[in-house]
Amino acid sequence: FIDYSFAAGTLSIILNAKHDFFDILVEKIIEDEDSKVPFELFVMAVIKSIKDLNLEYTDAMDKLMEKINRRITYDIMEYKKLNG
């Protein structure tokens, strides 16, 4: 549901609005003014950390991202089962 790029000293974070996770959770968060800024700061901190660590620990970060993606997919499937 999320990707990033880093070029010319600028970190760009791309949210996939067509991803189920975006529909189920992210869209609701960014529409709520009290939740939007903390969520954005959290996402920026996580992606910046991943980007920085990826330079030194590429294999470990790839495995971590794969594990996070599997967990999000699992949680989405469970949510859909419970909420039809």
Side-chain angles (χ1 to χ4, degrees):
F1 94 97
I2 194 165
D3 198 7
Y4 71 93
S5 65
F6 188 75
T10 301
L11 177 62
S12 297
I13 299 171
I14 301 101
L15 297 177
N16 180 355
K18 294 181 181 180
H19 194 283
D20 286 342
F21 187 68
F22 187 91
D23 287 338
I24 292 169
L25 181 64
V26 176
E27 188 171 34
K28 291 174 181 79
I29 291 172
I30 61 175
E31 288 176 354
D32 177 15
E33 289 300 317
D34 292 334
S35 301
K36 182 179 179 177
V37 172
F39 175 75
E40 289 173 341
L41 292 172
F42 171 74
V43 169
M44 285 187 284
V46 169
I47 297 299
K48 173 101 171 64
S49 297
I50 290 168
K51 180 208 130 324
D52 291 346
L53 289 170
N54 197 35
L55 297 174
E56 197 169 337
Y57 305 104
T58 303
D59 291 341
M61 294 312 297
D62 288 346
K63 289 177 185 174
L64 177 61
M65 289 305 296
E66 184 179 319
K67 187 175 182 178
I68 290 169
N69 286 327
R70 274 197 316 265
R71 180 57 197 242
I72 288 172
T73 300
Y74 173 81
D75 289 343
I76 289 170
M77 290 175 12
E78 289 298 308
Y79 178 86
K80 284 182 171 183
K81 281 184 204 175
L82 296 173
N83 296 287

